[in-house]
Amino acid sequence: MASSNAMTMMKSSQQQVMMMKKRKRKKEQQLSLGELKTLGEQLLSSRSHINNLPRLLNFIKHPREDFHPAYALESLLSLQSFFTPLLLDLSASRSRSSISSSDASTTTAAHLIYSTWLRSKFDDFLQSLFSISTSALSDPTLREVVLETIMEFVKVANAGNFHSSIFHRFLHAIVHSTLGVGDILLELLASKYFKYIDVRYFTYISLEKIARTLEPEDSADDKGATSESAAGNRSRASMEVCIRIIYHLLSRIPPLEVSVVESNYEMWSCVDIFTRKFDKKNHDHLSDAEDKQQKLRLHDRKDFSAASVTKKMKLKFSKAWISFLRLPLPLDVYKEVLATLHQAVIPHLSNPIMLCDFLTRSYDIGGVVSVMALSSLYILMTQHGLEYPNFYGKLYALLEPSIFMAKYRAKFFELIDSCLKSPLLPAYLAAAFCKKLSRLALSVPPSGALIIIALVHNLLRRHPSINFLVHQGYVNEAGKETSATDKSGVDRTDDTDSASKQGIDQFDYEQSDPMKTNAMRSSLWEIDTLRHHYCPPVSSTMSHTKC
C-alpha cells in the first residue's frame, strides 16, 4: 500500500509540473513582440530584471513547437546586447572559478555563483544559436543573423583574440549536422569569412581535430567487429554526411598567396595571431578594453615575415588534409579529391611526400581510381623524389579497352606520354608498352586508334633501341626469324608451308608483367594493318606517319 501511494504521489507531482510548464508556455505565447522587446529592455537596464534572461532564452530554443522566427530574432538581439559587454568578465571569471577556499576573500560566494550561472546561460545561448544555424528548416534570414552573431562572439569574446573554442564548437555543430553541401550556411561562411586568414587558420585546426575523431579504429575488438546492426548503418550514413561537409569546407578555403601576405592580409580578430612577441600578461591589467585592442593593433609586427606566415598556414593546411584523407571517403568524394589533388592540394602542402601512402593505395586499387591517382603520383615521383618500383607495372595493367571510354582519358594518355618520355626507360619496357598499345589499336574506336598512332610514334622516336620492332620479321615456333621474301626479293612462299614460315606472335597480351610479355621477340604488325583501316582519318594518318 505504501509503495502504491508513493507512486500515485509521484505521478501527481509530475502532472503538476507538466501543467505548470504548459501554463508558462501559454503565457509566453500570449506575449506580443512589443512585450518581448520590453523584457529585453528591462534586462539591459537593471540587474533586478535578471529573471528575464531565462524567459528570453526560451524564445530561441530550437527545435520547439511554438518556435517563431520573429520572436527568436527579437530575443537574439536583446541577448546579444546583454552578453557582449559581459564577455570579458565571463572569461575572467572562468579562470577564477578554480580559486581555492583560502583565496575566497577576494570575491564573494554569491558573485561566483552568479558568474557561474551567467556562463551556463551564455553556453545555452550559444547552443541555441548553433541549433538554429545548422537547421535547414530555420528561416534563412534568421540563420544569416545567427551566423553574424556567432562570428561576432568569436571576434570579441576573448579580449580581441580569436575565440577558437567557440569557433570549434560551431564547426563541430556544422559537421555533425544534416546540412547538404549546398546549404546557405556553408555558402555564407565561405563567402563572408574565409577571406580572413585567422578564420582559415583556425578552420584548418578545427577540421583536423574533428576528422581525427571520425577516423576508424584499426585495432578493434572482435566483439566490436561482429556487432553490425541498424544503428551501425545509421552511424556510417551520418559519417558520410560529416565527411562531405568537411570536404566542402576544405575545398572552399582559398589557398594562401604569398603576394597577399607580403602586402597585407585581413584578420577577423583584432589581435594578429602570427605576432610572435605578443605578451598577454603585459596587457591583462588594462581596464579599458577598447584601449587594449587599440594597443594590440599597433603592436610591433616586424618580427615575422611572409615566409613564416606561409609556413604556419601550410602546416595547418597539411595536417587538416592528411587527417581528412585518412577517413573512409565515399566513392564520389574519393574521385573528386583525386581529380583535383594535383592542383588544389599538392602545391600548398608543407611536405607533399605525406600523400604517398594515400596515392599509392589509390593507385593499387585499379580501374578509374588508379587512372585518377596517376596525375598526383606522377608529380610526387618527378618533382618530389618519390620512389615507387611497381609504378610502370601498374601503369601497364591500366591499358585496357575500357580506358578509351573513360572520362579522364585525355589526361591519362597525356600522362602516359610523359611517363614514357625518359631516355633511361629500359628497352623491354618501352617495347612492352609499344606492343600493348598496338594490339589495342585493333579493338578501340577510331579516335582511340589515332591516339595510339601518336603514342607509338613518340615511343619509337624517343627510344631508337626498339625501332627493330617495325622491321623485324616473323618468328616461327622454333624461335628463328623468317621472311616471306628472300634476299633477292622473290616470293618463295608456297601454300603447303606458308603457315609454318609465317609462325606465331610471341607477344603475350594477357601477361600483366611487362618483363614477361616477350615484346622484344615480336613486331608491330598491328600498326601496319591500320593502313587499311575502315575509318579514312586513321588510314590517311598511317600513310603520312613513318612508323
Side-chain angles (χ1 to χ4, degrees):
M1 291 295 292
S3 60
S4 60
N5 291 335
M7 291 293 294
T8 304
M9 292 177 63
M10 289 179 61
K11 289 181 179 179
S12 61
S13 61
Q14 290 176 357
Q15 291 175 356
Q16 289 178 0
V17 172
M18 293 295 293
M19 290 295 294
M20 291 176 63
K21 288 184 178 180
K22 288 182 179 179
R23 290 173 184 173
K24 188 176 180 181
R25 286 183 181 178
K26 286 182 180 180
K27 288 182 180 181
E28 291 177 352
Q29 290 175 1
Q30 293 172 359
L31 287 176
S32 63
L33 281 175
E35 292 172 334
L36 186 62
K37 186 176 182 180
T38 302
L39 290 178
E41 292 174 351
Q42 292 175 351
L43 177 64
L44 295 173
S45 62
S46 174
R47 185 179 292 187
S48 60
H49 298 285
I50 193 63
N51 288 331
N52 290 353
L53 178 59
R55 297 184 65 183
L56 291 171
L57 286 171
N58 285 332
F59 284 96
I60 64 169
K61 284 186 178 179
H62 189 276
R64 51 180 285 177
E65 297 178 359
D66 54 347
F67 183 83
H68 196 281
Y71 283 76
L73 181 59
E74 186 63 42
S75 300
L76 187 152
L77 296 176
S78 299
L79 291 169
Q80 182 181 6
S81 301
F82 172 76
F83 279 115
T84 300
L86 302 175
L87 291 175
L88 294 178
D89 294 334
L90 290 177
S91 59
S93 62
R94 185 183 297 273
S95 61
R96 289 197 302 264
S97 61
S98 59
I99 297 176
S100 61
S101 59
S102 60
D103 298 329
S105 58
T106 60
T107 183
T108 63
H111 181 71
L112 285 176
I113 294 173
Y114 177 71
S115 300
T116 304
W117 180 78
L118 277 182
R119 284 201 310 273
S120 66
K121 294 305 175 184
F122 180 67
D123 290 338
D124 293 341
F125 180 43
L126 285 177
Q127 192 58 47
S128 297
L129 295 180
F130 298 156
S131 299
I132 294 173
S133 63
T134 56
S135 173
L137 301 177
S138 300
D139 182 72
T141 304
L142 178 61
R143 295 177 69 192
E144 185 173 359
V145 175
V146 168
L147 173 62
E148 293 174 355
T149 303
I150 294 172
M151 294 305 296
E152 191 65 25
F153 286 151
V154 170
K155 182 177 184 179
V156 303
N158 192 22
N161 294 279
F162 194 96
H163 203 301
S164 57
S165 177
I166 294 178
F167 190 66
H168 177 75
R169 289 173 59 189
F170 180 45
L171 287 184
H172 187 275
I174 292 176
V175 171
H176 288 85
S177 67
T178 57
L179 297 176
V181 293
D183 187 81
I184 185 174
L185 177 68
L186 302 179
E187 298 302 321
L188 287 172
L189 182 63
S191 61
K192 296 182 68 172
Y193 298 102
F194 280 174
K195 62 182 179 180
Y196 300 105
I197 288 194
D198 52 352
V199 175
R200 301 185 208 174
Y201 184 83
F202 286 103
T203 299
Y204 289 138
I205 293 176
S206 294
L207 292 181
E208 180 207 354
K209 293 179 180 178
I210 296 171
R212 287 184 179 275
T213 63
L214 296 176
E215 288 182 16
E217 296 182 1
D218 296 332
S219 58
D221 296 332
D222 294 337
K223 293 181 180 179
T226 57
S227 60
E228 295 291 337
S229 61
N233 294 332
R234 285 195 299 270
S235 65
R236 284 193 295 270
S238 62
M239 179 178 287
E240 276 198 16
V241 175
C242 296
I243 291 172
R244 293 180 192 278
I245 294 177
I246 292 176
Y247 174 65
H248 182 77
L249 290 174
L250 283 175
S251 61
R252 290 299 304 274
I253 302 177
L256 183 66
E257 299 179 3
V258 179
S259 59
V260 175
V261 178
E262 290 177 346
S263 59
N264 192 14
Y265 54 84
E266 293 184 88
M267 303 285 290
W268 175 245
S269 58
C270 300
V271 178
D272 195 335
I273 60 173
F274 299 110
T275 303
R276 293 180 181 176
K277 294 183 180 180
F278 170 64
D279 188 1
K280 189 175 180 181
K281 295 181 180 179
N282 295 336
H283 300 276
D284 283 344
H285 63 275
L286 297 177
S287 57
D288 190 352
E290 295 182 357
D291 182 63
K292 178 179 179 180
Q293 293 176 5
Q294 182 65 21
K295 288 184 178 180
L296 292 176
R297 288 194 194 99
L298 300 176
H299 196 275
D300 184 15
R301 292 170 54 184
K302 296 180 181 179
D303 59 327
F304 71 95
S305 62
S308 65
V309 174
T310 305
K311 182 179 179 180
K312 290 181 180 180
M313 291 295 295
K314 278 191 172 186
L315 182 61
K316 300 304 178 184
F317 175 91
S318 303
K319 289 183 177 180
W321 269 100
I322 296 302
S323 297
F324 168 72
L325 293 177
R326 291 196 184 104
L327 300 176
L329 306 181
L331 184 59
D332 58 331
V333 176
Y334 202 151
K335 292 180 179 179
E336 190 173 348
V337 168
L338 289 174
T340 59
L341 203 63
H342 63 289
Q343 293 178 336
V345 179
I346 290 181
H348 309 290
L349 290 175
S350 58
N351 183 14
I353 294 297
M354 293 187 295
L355 287 176
C356 66
D357 291 338
F358 173 76
L359 289 175
T360 54
R361 186 170 62 250
S362 303
Y363 192 58
D364 291 340
I365 291 176
V368 67
V369 175
S370 295
V371 173
M372 301 177 74
L374 177 62
S375 180
S376 299
L377 191 60
Y378 179 71
I379 291 176
L380 293 190
M381 293 177 60
T382 56
Q383 300 179 16
H384 301 282
L386 175 66
E387 295 184 4
Y388 186 41
N390 201 29
F391 174 78
Y392 286 101
K394 295 290 183 181
L395 184 63
Y396 182 82
L398 291 177
L399 290 176
E400 297 291 340
S402 59
I403 200 65
F404 291 85
M405 306 299 292
K407 182 178 180 181
Y408 301 98
R409 58 184 179 274
K411 184 65 176 178
F412 172 73
F413 289 118
E414 179 183 342
L415 287 169
I416 276 198
D417 190 53
S418 300
C419 293
L420 301 177
K421 188 182 295 184
S422 173
L424 301 178
L425 201 68
Y428 79 87
L429 200 56
F433 275 93
C434 201
K435 183 62 180 178
K436 183 73 174 287
L437 288 167
S438 302
R439 184 63 60 87
L440 287 172
L442 302 178
S443 57
V444 300
S447 59
L450 290 172
I451 294 174
I452 288 176
I453 292 172
L455 290 174
V456 171
H457 173 77
N458 289 339
L459 278 169
L460 294 173
R461 182 170 54 84
R462 294 166 181 163
H463 304 279
S465 59
I466 63 170
N467 283 346
F468 68 89
L469 294 176
V470 179
H471 310 289
Q472 182 164 260
Y474 296 104
V475 179
N476 60 21
E477 295 179 352
K480 297 180 180 180
E481 182 179 347
T482 60
S483 177
T485 57
D486 62 6
K487 294 182 180 180
S488 61
V490 180
D491 188 358
R492 301 187 181 280
T493 304
D494 55 16
D495 296 336
T496 58
D497 59 353
S498 61
S500 62
K501 284 190 176 183
Q502 289 181 355
I504 60 175
D505 191 347
Q506 300 293 323
F507 176 69
D508 187 357
Y509 178 80
E510 303 297 332
Q511 178 58 247
S512 59
D513 187 353
M515 184 180 292
K516 301 177 181 178
T517 56
N518 291 327
M520 300 286 282
R521 301 178 61 189
S522 183
S523 65
L524 300 182
W525 60 267
E526 299 94 343
I527 294 295
D528 188 60
T529 61
L530 296 181
R531 301 180 186 276
H532 310 287
H533 199 277
Y534 72 90
C535 182
V538 177
S539 57
S540 62
T541 301
M542 279 302 304
S543 63
H544 293 87
T545 302
K546 296 181 180 181
C547 284

